[in-house]
Amino acid sequence: MLSTGEIVGTAIGGSLAAYIVTVIVLYRCPSLIHKRKPYLFDGFLIAHRGGAGERIENTLGAFRHAVQDCGADILELDLHLTKDKKVVICHDSDLVRTTGVKGIVEDMDYADLPPLNQHLDITFDPGNNLQGEHNDTAIPLFEDLLKELPDAVLNIDLKHGTQELVDLAGELIHRYGRTKTVIWGSSVNSVHEMAYKFDTDIPIYFDIKGSLRMIILYWTGLLAFMPIREQVLELPYVPQDVMTRMLGERSRSLAWRFLRFLGNRVLLSESVVHYLQRRGMQTYAFVLNSEDAWTTMYTRGITGIHTDYPTQLREYLDAHPEFTVPRQTAEPEETDRLVASASKSSPPRSDL
């Protein structure tokens, strides 16, 4: 006769085994309990700030070049609000880096904003810089971009957002009929919530808090049972050479190597990417500027890459058509086959 301890142990073991089997089944076939999210749009090539390595960042000229010359699938941009309530496209609230003039965007009227520098360092390509040659010096209005490129898909980062910025940007998105060709959000949880509540039909990406929560739920198996309101997961991938240029010898420390492993192999693992795709979500990595990094991420199943060099990434994708298979248009059971096919044709290069 079994003792009480043996009975309890057997019950716990059986329950745990049942839980693990259930999670495996639901991770493989999430459509059993979750409706697959509808396909949004292709996002293989995402021009970061319009392509900050080829044109002055966040300018209309950069966005035109990315779409018309490079065939960018998505334009990534940043929004701020001026003192006179104009929604403008710029990354930094502090104007020193981009204009050389001391001042804060939110403290100035639009007409008083200084012209952009024509010589800028490339944030995600340390040691390199861009010399502007196209006389595109004005900080653009968000509305002007909506008018000029009405068919472009936009990935919007609401910087230092307030409810007023969310409302005014959202009103422009509605006015120009862009609710199905925009992804928006913020790394800041409070702003992320404002954007979601403004219009739950506008696609939104995970904020930092939501990304970490989602990853914890995934690795504990609980995500199999949870609804997901976001449509896109965007996470950084930092190749070793970039980390070395940014941090020097500090990048070799155990702490930094562990953080890099955590980001590159846990947050952006193939299993996470494949599962989210089965639920109809897209996954983007940022900001990658080398062929080695592109190959690593595409073969891992990532659906889109932010880059400062859209011309180079377009040439790379033209030479690797296996990475431009629209995986989300496939049935869930076909996703792994498509990813595996791409992986076999272009083996990933390890840089860990």
Side-chain angles (χ1 to χ4, degrees):
M1 184 174 180
L2 295 176
S3 66
T4 302
E6 289 174 328
I7 294 173
V8 171
T10 301
I12 291 174
S15 299
L16 181 60
Y19 175 74
I20 292 172
V21 170
T22 303
V23 168
I24 291 173
V25 170
L26 291 179
Y27 274 1
R28 183 67 183 174
C29 304
S31 58
L32 290 174
I33 61 172
H34 299 291
K35 183 178 179 181
R36 196 167 189 243
K37 291 180 180 292
Y39 180 71
L40 293 176
F41 29 68
D42 292 332
F44 308 112
L45 193 168
I46 305 167
H48 178 245
R49 304 181 196 172
E54 299 180 9
R55 297 290 189 274
I56 297 298
E57 67 180 57
N58 277 326
T59 58
L60 292 181
F63 298 129
R64 281 193 298 267
H65 167 68
V67 171
Q68 297 169 1
D69 299 335
C70 308
D73 299 302
I74 298 176
L75 299 174
E76 189 273 343
L77 57 120
D78 312 279
L79 296 184
H80 284 274
L81 191 65
T82 64
K83 185 178 179 180
D84 57 343
K85 313 307 178 189
K86 302 293 185 183
V87 182
V88 297
I89 303 173
C90 59
H91 182 272
D92 302 358
S93 177
D94 189 328
L95 293 164
V96 171
R97 180 183 70 88
T98 54
T99 71
V101 176
K102 291 183 179 180
I104 303 297
V105 172
E106 289 78 7
D107 294 338
M108 302 177 71
D109 289 341
Y110 179 69
D112 297 328
L113 292 177
L116 293 164
N117 282 334
Q118 291 297 288
H119 184 89
L120 284 178
D121 291 335
I122 303 168
T123 306
F124 289 89
D125 194 6
N128 291 310
N129 53 64
L130 177 69
Q131 182 66 49
E133 299 176 351
H134 302 274
N135 299 317
D136 205 356
T137 61
I139 295 175
L141 291 166
F142 179 46
E143 185 170 12
D144 287 344
L145 175 62
L146 294 173
K147 291 177 180 177
E148 179 143 350
L149 297 172
D151 299 320
V153 178
L154 307 179
N155 183 312
I156 298 170
D157 187 353
L158 298 160
K159 290 290 186 183
H160 302 289
T162 61
Q163 187 65 60
E164 198 166 26
L165 172 61
V166 171
D167 291 344
L168 291 173
E171 288 169 9
L172 288 170
I173 290 169
H174 274 272
R175 185 187 309 167
Y176 288 91
R178 304 299 293 276
T179 57
K180 300 304 180 185
T181 55
V182 158
I183 312 163
W184 72 342
S186 173
S187 60
V188 180
N189 179 255
S190 60
V191 183
H192 175 86
E193 292 299 318
M194 292 176 199
Y196 178 74
K197 291 175 182 177
F198 178 86
D199 186 344
T200 57
D201 289 332
I202 299 177
I204 195 166
Y205 55 79
F206 283 95
D207 64 343
I208 293 176
K209 180 179 178 181
S211 297
L212 294 176
R213 176 178 177 272
M214 186 275 293
I215 292 298
I216 292 171
L217 290 174
Y218 175 81
W219 288 110
T220 57
L222 295 173
L223 192 61
F225 309 96
M226 304 290 288
I228 300 175
R229 67 184 185 184
E230 289 82 2
Q231 285 83 7
V232 175
L233 174 68
E234 296 188 311
L235 288 172
Y237 173 78
V238 186
Q240 181 61 51
D241 62 325
V242 174
M243 182 173 282
T244 299
R245 280 186 284 158
M246 293 176 70
L247 300 174
E249 287 304 313
R250 286 184 299 160
S251 68
R252 305 286 181 183
S253 70
L254 184 61
W256 279 108
R257 289 174 67 87
F258 173 75
L259 287 174
R260 184 169 174 275
F261 172 82
L262 184 66
N264 294 354
R265 289 298 187 182
V266 176
L267 301 183
L268 283 174
S269 71
E270 288 185 25
S271 60
V272 171
V273 169
H274 292 185
Y275 173 69
L276 293 178
Q277 287 177 1
R278 292 189 196 107
R279 290 189 64 168
M281 296 182 62
Q282 297 193 37
T283 50
Y284 302 155
F286 65 90
V287 173
L288 309 183
N289 292 322
S290 70
E291 287 196 10
D292 281 3
W294 299 338
T295 300
T296 298
M297 284 293 96
Y298 282 131
T299 53
R300 197 172 291 180
I302 288 290
T303 53
I305 286 177
H306 291 248
T307 185
D308 292 316
Y309 299 98
T311 298
Q312 294 177 25
L313 183 51
R314 172 51 58 201
E315 293 171 352
Y316 174 89
L317 288 173
D318 288 345
H320 297 83
E322 67 273 14
F323 294 139
T324 55
V325 176
R327 296 172 191 144
Q328 286 203 285
T329 61
E331 292 301 313
E333 60 269 18
E334 289 293 303
T335 301
D336 285 342
R337 183 186 64 79
L338 292 166
V339 173
S341 175
S343 300
K344 289 177 181 177
S345 59
S346 294
R349 299 162 183 160
S350 175
D351 61 354
L352 285 175

